[in-house]
Amino acid sequence: MMRSAFIQISIAAAALWLGFLCLTNRDEGASWNQSGYNVARATETADDRMIVVSCVGDSITAGGGASAPNMTYVSQLSRALGAGFNVTGYGVSSTTMLKHGLCSKDTTHCEGLCAYWNTTAYQRVIASQPDVITIMLGTNDAKGCNWWGPPNGSPSGVAYHAAYVDMVKIFQSLPSKPRVYLVIPPPLVNPPTHPDDPPVWNMSKQVLNEIIPKELPKLLVETGAAGVIDVWTALGGTDGYEQPSMTADGCHPKDPAAAIIAQAIAEAIQKDQGGKTAAD
Ligand SMILES: *[C@@H]1O[C@H](CO)[C@@H](O)[C@H](O)[C@H]1NC(C)=O
Ligand SMILES: *[C@@H]1O[C@H](CO)[C@@H](O)[C@H](O)[C@H]1NC(C)=O
Ligand SMILES: *[C@@H]1O[C@H](CO)[C@@H](O)[C@H](O)[C@H]1NC(C)=O
Ligand SMILES: *[C@@H]1O[C@H](CO)[C@@H](O)[C@H](O)[C@H]1NC(C)=O
Ligand SMILES: *[C@@H]1O[C@H](CO)[C@@H](O)[C@H](O)[C@H]1NC(C)=O
């Protein structure tokens, strides 16, 4: 009698303890459902749920060629993506992907360090807790003194390739684990209003219209980045770009061209709903 009572009490105690364990467990596990999704964090950060898009680039990303600050491709991208996205441009004029890229002093002379790596914008991208990063760099790398000169190593192109891989890997390893897109820059043509003039700043048509468009798909495979966004083709290549409505100087996009760039980037980001979504 005593003995069976003791056993019953023991069983009851064990059941209580197990029940307690289960409850504790359930509490601790409550923030993670079967897909490993941190449900608690998702609700806690309700105010923080905009998808942060950080756009890396040069003067094209800074808005050179646009008629107003709200017509740059970054501003148009922000409007195209809508309220769930916080899009910020981190473009810096004259900058290169090359770590030792030179600035154009004038059309006959390059000097000084114009690497994107050495800008405060680069540091701000790193600190931006991005969900998405777009990289559009190469237009200044295509200057004769950069692509075909000492900054780009030997054979020409190896330093661009290596720097690109490094930058993508640095971005991919940020704590926010952003999806990184490699954007093929706009075509390079002669200035439509002065078709007999060469491209501005001694930039190379071969580099921007032939070499870099083939290079980025290789970089995508090598880095496992989220995708290539082919703005070059979206703009119609050199044929589509070579008109005064698209570009004034043959390099920087005017508003209608910026709209095409924004649309191409928005489509790539929106198509990617397998990645981060506004609830993530
Ligand atoms: C986990 O939670 C997320 C966010 O609430 C939801 O989208 C997903 O469907 C859930 N998965 C499971 C297996 O419950
Ligand atoms: C851009 O800004 C100008 C004022 O500078 C304004 O008149 C115009 O409506 C704005 N356009 C868009 C599309 O927001
Ligand atoms: C968007 O991001 C920028 C840069 O981080 C920040 O200053 C701004 O407050 C954000 N805007 C919104 C609406 O969250
Ligand atoms: C430029 O940046 C690189 C890497 O971010 C750094 O190693 C180098 O010291 C910087 N150079 C100058 C001149 O600031
Ligand atoms: C212009 O580019 C060519 C190669 O495309 C190069 O040989 C030449 O030195 C460059 N000129 C200047 C001033 O940078």
Side-chain angles (χ1 to χ4, degrees):
M1 180 71 185
M2 282 287 284
R3 194 183 163 98
S4 84
F6 175 75
I7 288 170
Q8 279 177 12
I9 289 167
S10 302
I11 289 170
L16 267 174
W17 176 240
L18 272 176
F20 175 69
L21 272 185
C22 288
L23 276 175
T24 327
N25 240 358
R26 198 160 63 215
D27 266 350
E28 278 172 2
S31 57
W32 294 91
N33 69 12
Q34 286 158 5
S35 29
Y37 191 99
N38 191 333
V39 176
R41 186 173 149 265
T43 35
E44 273 162 22
T45 57
D47 293 339
D48 240 348
R49 274 196 262 155
M50 290 178 97
I51 296 176
V52 173
V53 180
S54 298
C55 301
V56 166
D58 48 37
S59 56
I60 295 173
T61 300
S67 66
N70 65 3
M71 294 309 286
T72 68
Y73 86 74
V74 173
S75 293
Q76 298 200 54
L77 173 64
S78 179
R79 286 196 291 277
L81 288 173
F85 293 80
N86 186 351
V87 182
T88 306
Y90 295 92
V92 184
S93 289
S94 301
T95 53
T96 63
M97 174 56 81
L98 287 167
K99 291 183 179 175
H100 302 285
L102 299 167
C103 318
S104 294
K105 183 84 175 151
D106 51 48
T107 46
T108 62
H109 186 57
C110 293
E111 68 173 40
L113 182 62
C114 264
Y116 191 80
W117 298 87
N118 295 91
T119 62
T120 55
Y122 172 65
Q123 296 303 332
R124 288 166 55 223
V125 171
I126 299 275
S128 68
Q129 296 184 276
D131 298 302
V132 176
I133 295 180
T134 63
I135 305 176
M136 190 200 284
L137 284 171
T139 302
N140 295 302
D141 300 270
K143 289 171 177 168
C145 59
N146 282 327
W147 195 271
W148 307 111
N152 209 359
S154 174
S156 291
V158 293
Y160 180 81
H161 187 96
Y164 214 125
V165 171
D166 285 355
M167 189 177 280
V168 172
K169 297 220 152 140
I170 287 169
F171 287 159
Q172 286 171 326
S173 67
L174 292 175
S176 60
K177 295 273 175 284
R179 298 177 67 76
V180 181
Y181 290 91
L182 323 183
V183 184
I184 301 179
L188 180 72
V189 297
N190 296 26
T193 46
H194 300 89
D196 296 331
D197 287 358
V200 287
W201 303 114
N202 200 30
M203 285 165 182
S204 164
K205 288 199 226 177
Q206 185 194 355
V207 172
L208 277 164
N209 301 331
E210 294 168 36
I211 297 177
I212 288 180
K214 291 194 191 107
E215 189 67 16
L216 266 53
K218 292 183 203 159
L219 285 159
L220 173 67
V221 172
E222 194 170 331
T223 59
V228 165
I229 302 176
D230 187 357
V231 152
W232 191 93
T233 299
L235 287 165
T238 52
D239 291 341
Y241 207 49
E242 212 162 29
Q243 36 183 315
S245 61
M246 296 290 269
T247 175
D249 63 358
C251 166
H252 295 95
K254 289 168 83 167
D255 297 356
I260 292 169
I261 295 172
Q263 199 51 44
I265 297 176
E267 272 167 21
I269 292 174
Q270 280 162 339
K271 218 192 280 173
D272 214 6
Q273 293 303 317
K276 291 241 178 185
T277 67
D280 194 346

